[in-house]
Amino acid sequence: MEGSEQVNEISVRVRRRTPGRGRLLAGVLTVATVIASLAVTTLARAEPSGPPGTTLKAAAERSGRYFGAAMGRDRLSDTGFLAIANREFDMMTAVNEMKPDATQPNRGQFDFRAGDAIYNWAVQRGMRVRGHTLAWHAQQPRFWATLSGGALRTAMIDHINGVMTHYRGKLAAWDVVNEAFAENGSRRSSNLQSTGNDWIEVAFRTARNADPSVKLCYNDYNIENWTYAKTQGVYNMIRDFKARGVPIDCVGLQTHFTGGSSLPGNFQTTLSSFAALGVDVALTEADVTNASASQYQGLTQACMNVPRCIGITTWGIRDSDSWRGNENPLLFDRNSNPKAAYTSVLNALNAASTTVPGTTPSSPGPSSSTPPASEPSGPCTATYRMTNSWGGGFQGEVIVTNTGSGTRNGWTVTLTLPGGQTLVNVWNAVNTGTSGTVTFRNAAHNGSLGANASTSFGFVANGSGGTAPGNLGCTSP
Ligand code: G3I
């Protein structure tokens, strides 16, 4: 039943895709957009070089981006799915297993077994994981239905704290709030909205405190068309949050071009306009009716043209994995064969003309990832802990704390990995080297630390994590 409700919801929004808005507003938006696009264009860097990638993840990594997929726990026993996931993708999202009803089935009783199973499978293969989602009008813990007002607000805060504490330092991003806007650009009515208009910013502030290291995203569908009322509603909220210092790092555009909807010609404008507000953007749940190769090419190209478009996730891998399987909307068919759309995406990834600022592309990359000639010095500390391990690999976390009296802008951590340990993947920092003595510089979003403030970065490495890294040091200007 819920599945058919979802279908109806998408159909409604598709019919309203061309909103009745005045031409004047469109003109204003166009001017603003051109300015925003110019601002972002100045960040563009040299085209990545080196051989083209032959998998989605290799092609995306050339420009410092990722290529992700979504999976349910049931896919953990699907060897066909796992083979493609392991070969092609470097980011994973749980389809349902990290949602509020899954992670807190009863008040105060958290259950991370399903989410952890997906998380562990992914990180053990060098992937990162996006957290989806913490506060949403759907798939809520059943007991939330008995609450309202302050009690529901408290329950939301408790949920965010409980889940984020479990995944602290482990995830690339959290969709903190999902689908909170209506098609007309106002807030969607929901029990959470009824607790007060500030529920979204409370969710983000709570999230930042719970895990200062993870990127905090607002995620929604039907915000791909720049002139659409809902897009503008979300844009205005993000602009307001940035102006008032509400912590937010990214916007996820679900990119469901399905159920009759299609790629808008102004998609890149939407991405660059959000990015110009100072947030990363990501395509978080892409699928396209009948896997139109031209639409997949276009959505990928739009992302590649915007430096702060950090990655693309498809909502499943094969058509048989899709929530809308009858539309065959994914890059692989039911026999696991890549479609024409796969090739169009791969080519667009390989042809990326921008790189993500602050990342280390897999080929010789932008000047921003080059370490400074002389290292800054100053008071900060670095503390290491192993957060996970498995046969042949482990995951580590380093907490960086500003021990000085003022704000520090930028930090550098050095450590020596014991023999046999080799870095596979690093997040929330930019590394130089993958074995022996390795240097980690802050990423673009976590370099500024107030007095006594902390941040963290993480990595996955091959080898036994039994021996901790040595010579741990931290410097800051
Ligand atoms: O697990 C039960 C199973 O025991 C039962 O027999 C079956 C009968 O209907 O239902 C199963 O649960 C279903 C669940 O997916 C797991 O398959 C739910 O009914 C169904 O509602 C749920 O749908 C999910 C949907 O979110 C719910 O809103 C889809 O899998 C999931 O792909 C979809 O994901 C959303 C994103 O979170 C947000 N953006 C839109 C996207 C697509 O709708």
Side-chain angles (χ1 to χ4, degrees):
M1 197 59 202
E2 196 168 336
S4 63
E5 282 167 14
Q6 287 281 328
V7 171
N8 291 338
E9 190 176 317
I10 296 279
S11 304
V12 168
R13 63 188 157 95
V14 168
R15 281 199 293 277
R16 294 184 192 160
R17 179 159 279 282
T18 307
R21 301 177 65 91
R23 285 174 190 274
L24 177 61
L25 176 57
V28 171
L29 293 175
T30 305
V31 172
T33 302
V34 169
I35 295 169
S37 301
L38 285 174
V40 170
T41 304
T42 59
L43 289 171
R45 290 179 163 74
E47 200 169 314
S49 56
T54 57
T55 61
L56 296 170
K57 66 181 177 187
E61 286 167 9
R62 292 177 82 240
S63 61
R65 294 181 170 89
Y66 64 81
F67 207 93
M71 70 184 287
R73 178 173 48 176
D74 52 354
R75 295 301 182 274
L76 286 170
S77 56
D78 184 333
T79 52
F81 178 97
L82 297 178
I84 309 177
N86 197 16
R87 185 181 76 226
E88 300 282 344
F89 297 89
D90 56 7
M91 183 72 83
M92 194 51 74
T93 306
V95 173
N96 290 305
E97 291 75 2
M98 293 190 189
K99 289 173 176 174
D101 61 342
T103 49
Q104 195 184 177
N106 299 298
R107 187 198 284 267
Q109 196 182 86
F110 290 89
D111 185 346
F112 299 111
R113 285 172 297 182
D116 284 355
I118 292 171
Y119 171 84
N120 287 330
W121 184 86
V123 299
Q124 288 168 14
R125 284 151 187 84
M127 300 177 196
R128 288 180 293 160
V129 175
R130 296 189 83 257
H132 174 80
T133 177
L134 294 165
W136 189 21
H137 66 272
Q139 289 179 279
Q140 298 184 347
R142 213 173 295 159
F143 73 92
W144 284 17
T146 65
L147 305 175
S148 62
L152 179 60
R153 177 69 67 87
T154 300
M156 178 191 80
I157 292 169
D158 290 347
H159 181 78
I160 293 171
N161 281 327
V163 177
M164 290 191 77
T165 299
H166 178 78
Y167 287 109
R168 193 173 195 275
K170 293 182 169 183
L171 301 181
W174 261 114
D175 291 333
V176 178
V177 172
N178 193 41
E179 301 177 357
F181 276 74
E183 299 306 296
N184 67 4
S186 64
R187 293 288 183 83
R188 175 198 290 271
S189 61
S190 71
N191 58 347
L192 291 169
Q193 181 64 27
S194 295
T195 67
N197 207 48
D198 62 344
W199 74 274
I200 298 181
E201 64 187 86
V202 168
F204 276 88
R205 290 188 201 280
T206 304
R208 181 67 97 220
N209 283 336
D211 183 354
S213 72
V214 69
K215 287 191 177 182
L216 307 179
C217 303
Y218 176 79
N219 192 55
D220 215 330
Y221 62 81
N222 245 12
I223 57 169
E224 293 82 17
N225 186 332
W226 175 240
T227 60
Y228 193 44
K230 186 173 178 179
T231 310
Q232 290 301 308
V234 173
Y235 177 84
N236 288 332
M237 179 187 74
I238 308 295
R239 185 171 58 183
D240 171 55
F241 279 12
K242 295 301 282 187
R244 290 191 295 113
V246 178
I248 184 162
D249 307 308
C250 36
V251 175
L253 297 94
Q254 294 184 7
T255 319
H256 289 297
F257 297 138
T258 189
S261 122
S262 57
L263 173 70
N266 57 19
F267 188 40
Q268 185 179 323
T269 297
T270 306
L271 296 176
S272 60
S273 300
F274 275 118
L277 293 177
V279 289
D280 290 340
V281 291
L283 318 191
T284 51
E285 304 182 12
D287 49 18
V288 179
T289 305
N290 295 325
S292 155
S294 63
Q295 288 191 54
Y296 263 116
Q297 191 278 338
L299 70 88
T300 307
Q301 186 66 55
C303 180
M304 296 305 106
N305 288 348
V306 176
R308 289 194 76 160
C309 186
I310 60 173
I312 299 173
T313 293
T314 55
W315 205 243
I317 291 180
R318 306 156 305 182
D319 291 331
S320 45
D321 307 315
S322 173
W323 66 302
R324 319 209 56 189
N326 57 350
E327 292 184 22
N328 299 319
L330 293 173
L331 297 176
F332 293 83
D333 68 21
R334 283 155 212 277
N335 297 318
S336 299
N337 296 313
K339 304 182 191 174
Y342 170 92
T343 308
S344 76
V345 169
L346 189 70
N347 290 342
L349 294 171
N350 275 318
S353 60
T354 70
T355 54
V356 176
T359 61
T360 311
S362 61
S363 56
S367 56
S368 67
S369 64
T370 307
S374 62
E375 291 199 341
S377 61
C380 60
T381 59
T383 315
Y384 169 82
R385 72 181 176 115
M386 189 170 72
T387 53
N388 200 1
S389 67
W390 52 91
F394 66 99
Q395 181 177 343
E397 179 192 45
V398 177
I399 296 176
V400 182
T401 303
N402 172 14
T403 52
S405 53
T407 297
R408 306 271 147 193
N409 289 309
W411 45 261
T412 302
V413 170
T414 51
L415 53 80
T416 304
L417 293 167
Q421 294 184 3
T422 309
L423 293 181
V424 178
N425 193 13
V426 176
W427 53 94
N428 295 332
V430 179
N431 62 302
T432 303
T434 55
S435 60
T437 298
V438 182
T439 302
F440 301 85
R441 293 183 64 218
N442 60 278
H445 65 278
N446 65 358
S448 178
L449 290 179
N452 301 315
S454 295
T455 187
S456 70
F457 66 88
F459 60 81
V460 168
N462 285 332
S464 162
T467 308
N471 305 323
L472 202 57
C474 182
T475 56
S476 176

